[in-house]
């Protein structure tokens, strides 16, 4: 097996999807599976579809194209605001996009007309998280112009919270979104078919039964992939947190001091790390580093292993407690948070293996599906 590698258990992803979809559907909410943290990985997308999502979304056109090339036959939505320079590709490859700028809507309209399509759009409203979205006061004037544009169809309203500023979705801001949708419907006699209110941060609100009834759409990535809601990063009931496991190989294994010798300057990344005096410890150097992962977001699967730090190409761990059972050439495994998973999926140096039914380390991976 080539290391480092990221083993993706697609059965766990399918199971997690089913859990989240059942929760949402029983509250009248349809789920679009978000593949962006996996760079549009086709096997992940297929697992989400088996688990019951009604559509898929990604934030990069390259990944939408990857899904199309893999023969994924479902509605693909473009999650990131389209660049003015990319409207032709957006209309070509995505059935729907999220939007907040009239100039882009005009360009999408022209692009759609050029290829004889009608492109669905969801207008994003900023309810306080201060990332994308039309400010609520400006919504009616924007819709007034947008409904004149041929080739695009305003399918509904959306909002995105808990991403940039960590604003929680709650009954108040969700009610505000529904009120805005009703206002648009009344002003323009235009039905808002989709009220796309939440991402993985909305699960608690949905489960508590306090989500306003008209909210009917969620865009879910992390809760399906890592089994966590995202307001407190609580593991979600009946989901797996270990669908993705990173395996890295021991390159060097030596007993050395726990504190550096000599006068100290900045490290390779311009910081001055602190070291705890723990006497001599057994240190392992592994073949992943900051180029491939976000070190702070890694957690060893064996709790006796302690991460000491990393440079671009090495992860340094304290393996004193397990020294008797490991050797050079063995692999150690890690779970990842969202940031670390994003980095590992994006790294060209980490091999990705989708498999069914898990993988326990060492030897051959059984039943690799890609
Ligand atoms: C990434 C993203 C999502 C999915 O968020 P998760 O927290 O992974 O569920 C939903 N909507 C938008 C607009 C996004 O950019």
């Amino acid at each position: 097996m080539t290391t480092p590698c990221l083993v993706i258990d697609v059965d766990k992803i399918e199971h997690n999807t089913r859990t989240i979809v059942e929760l949402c559907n029983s509250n009248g909410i349809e789920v679009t599976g978000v593949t962006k943290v996996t760079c549009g990985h086709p096997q992940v997308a297929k697992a989400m579809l088996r688990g019951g999502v009604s559509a898929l979304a990604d934030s990069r056109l390259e990944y939408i194209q990857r899904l199309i090339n893999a023969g994924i036959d479902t509605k693909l939505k473009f999650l990131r605001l389209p660049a003015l320079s990319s409207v032709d590709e957006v209309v070509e490859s995505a059935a729907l996009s999220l939007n907040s700028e009239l100039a882009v809507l005009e360009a999408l309209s022209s692009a759609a007309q050029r290829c004889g399509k009608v492109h669905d759009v969801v207008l994003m409203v900023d309810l306080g998280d201060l990332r994308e979205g039309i400010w609520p006061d400006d919504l009616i004037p924007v819709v007034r112009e947008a409904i004149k544009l041929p080739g695009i169809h305003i399918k509904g309203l959306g909002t995105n919270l808990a991403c940039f500023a960590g604003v929680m979705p709650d009954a108040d801001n969700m009610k505000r979104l529904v009120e805005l949708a009703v206002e648009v419907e009344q002003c323009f006699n235009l039905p808002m078919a989709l009220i796309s209110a939440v991402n993985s941060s909305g699960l608690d609100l949905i489960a508590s039964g306090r989500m306003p009834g008209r909210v009917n759409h969620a865009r879910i990535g992390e809760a399906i992939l890592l089994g966590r809601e995202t307001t407190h990063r609580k593991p979600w009931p009946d989901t797996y947190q270990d669908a993705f496991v990173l395996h890295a190989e021991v390159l060097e294994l030596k007993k050395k001091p726990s504190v550096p010798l000599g006068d100290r300057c900045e490290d390779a990344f311009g910081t001055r790390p602190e070291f705890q005096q723990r006497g001599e410890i057994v240190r392992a150097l592994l073949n992943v580093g900051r180029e491939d992962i976000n070190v702070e977001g890694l957690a060893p699967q064996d709790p006796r292993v302690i991460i000491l730090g990393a440079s671009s190409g090495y992860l340094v761990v304290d393996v004193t407690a397990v020294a008797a059972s490991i050797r050079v050439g063995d692999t150690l495994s890690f779970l990842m948070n969202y940031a670390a998973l994003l980095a590992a999926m994006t790294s060209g140096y980490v091999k990705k293996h989708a498999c069914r039914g898990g993988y326990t380390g060492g030897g051959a991976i059984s039943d690799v599906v890609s």
Side-chain angles (χ1 to χ4, degrees):
M1 178 183 70
T2 316
T3 61
C5 74
L6 185 54
V7 176
I8 308 170
D9 185 334
V10 295
D11 286 342
K12 288 184 176 168
I13 293 171
E14 179 181 337
H15 175 91
N16 288 0
T17 308
R18 198 165 285 120
T19 299
I20 303 297
V21 167
E22 277 169 12
L23 166 72
C24 291
N25 286 0
S26 65
N27 285 275
I29 296 171
E30 190 189 307
V31 178
T32 286
V34 176
T35 53
K36 70 183 180 201
V37 71
T38 69
C39 307
H41 196 288
Q43 299 299 340
V44 170
K46 286 177 185 170
M48 286 181 167
L49 288 170
R50 288 195 299 275
V53 297
S54 57
L56 295 168
D58 208 293
S59 63
R60 292 193 192 250
L61 288 171
E62 290 85 344
Y63 302 156
I64 294 213
Q65 201 53 52
R66 185 179 180 194
L67 295 171
I68 294 171
N69 294 346
I72 288 180
D73 182 23
T74 188
K75 263 192 120 181
L76 298 172
K77 300 176 180 176
F78 187 50
L79 268 190
R80 189 164 63 168
L81 302 177
L84 202 47
S85 57
S86 71
V87 289
D88 288 296
E89 289 100 310
V90 171
V91 167
E92 177 64 37
S93 54
L96 177 150
S97 60
L98 308 183
N99 286 274
S100 67
E101 288 288 354
L102 205 47
V104 176
L105 291 167
E106 285 165 1
L108 285 169
S109 162
S110 307
Q113 284 180 284
R114 278 196 291 278
C115 60
K117 286 188 176 178
V118 174
H119 181 72
D120 284 340
V121 299
V122 163
L123 297 180
M124 294 302 277
V125 181
D126 190 338
L127 292 179
D129 202 53
L130 304 183
R131 199 180 75 176
E132 77 273 45
I134 301 163
W135 201 250
D137 297 345
D138 302 328
L139 180 63
I140 295 295
V142 170
V143 177
R144 180 168 293 122
E145 297 308 311
I147 50 171
K148 297 178 192 157
L149 299 169
I152 61 169
H153 169 62
I154 304 171
K155 191 116 193 253
L157 295 189
T159 195
N160 197 55
L161 295 169
C163 260
F164 181 69
V167 171
M168 305 242 290
D170 59 28
D172 290 337
N173 50 35
M174 294 292 107
K175 222 172 101 228
R176 182 87 185 97
L177 183 65
V178 171
E179 283 165 6
L180 288 166
V182 170
E183 201 182 331
V184 169
E185 289 178 328
Q186 287 171 349
C187 269
F188 304 105
N189 194 22
L190 174 72
M192 295 284 96
L194 218 54
I195 302 193
S196 183
V198 286
N199 51 33
S200 297
S201 65
L203 294 187
D204 267 333
L205 188 64
I206 294 170
S208 74
R210 287 180 297 124
M211 185 65 97
R214 279 238 20 214
V215 166
N216 61 3
H217 187 258
R219 311 169 305 269
I220 307 282
E222 182 163 350
I224 289 175
L225 300 168
L226 294 175
R228 292 178 190 276
E229 62 81 44
T230 55
T231 59
H232 300 94
R233 296 252 147 44
K234 279 192 313 250
W236 194 255
D238 194 22
T239 62
Y240 295 100
Q241 285 74 53
D242 60 350
F244 295 83
V245 180
L246 179 72
H247 299 266
E249 184 169 336
V250 178
L251 307 175
E252 179 186 296
L253 184 67
K254 294 191 191 303
K255 193 178 268 189
K256 293 185 188 179
S258 45
V259 172
L261 312 181
D263 292 337
R264 293 180 52 217
C265 57
E266 289 182 348
D267 69 7
F269 284 83
T271 62
R272 292 172 184 267
E274 299 291 319
F275 294 87
Q276 274 178 21
Q277 181 54 266
R278 279 186 270 174
E280 282 214 320
I281 56 175
V282 182
R283 309 167 72 95
L285 261 58
L286 308 182
N287 62 347
V288 283
R290 292 195 186 271
E291 201 164 356
D292 316 296
I293 36 104
N294 172 299
V295 184
E296 294 68 36
L298 278 191
Q301 275 200 303
D302 184 334
R304 296 170 298 173
V305 172
I306 301 163
I307 295 173
L308 298 172
S311 57
S312 38
Y314 294 116
L315 183 69
V316 185
V317 294
D318 177 348
V319 291
T320 311
V322 294
S325 58
I326 63 169
R327 281 182 292 182
V328 169
D330 284 351
T331 56
L332 293 181
S333 59
F334 300 85
L335 299 183
M336 287 150 290
N337 71 4
Y338 192 84
L341 177 60
L342 176 64
M345 287 298 314
T346 310
S347 170
Y349 310 107
V350 177
K351 301 284 172 288
K352 284 83 183 173
H353 295 292
C355 69
R356 310 194 70 151
Y359 166 70
T360 50
I365 299 168
S366 62
D367 211 5
V368 169
V369 292
S370 100

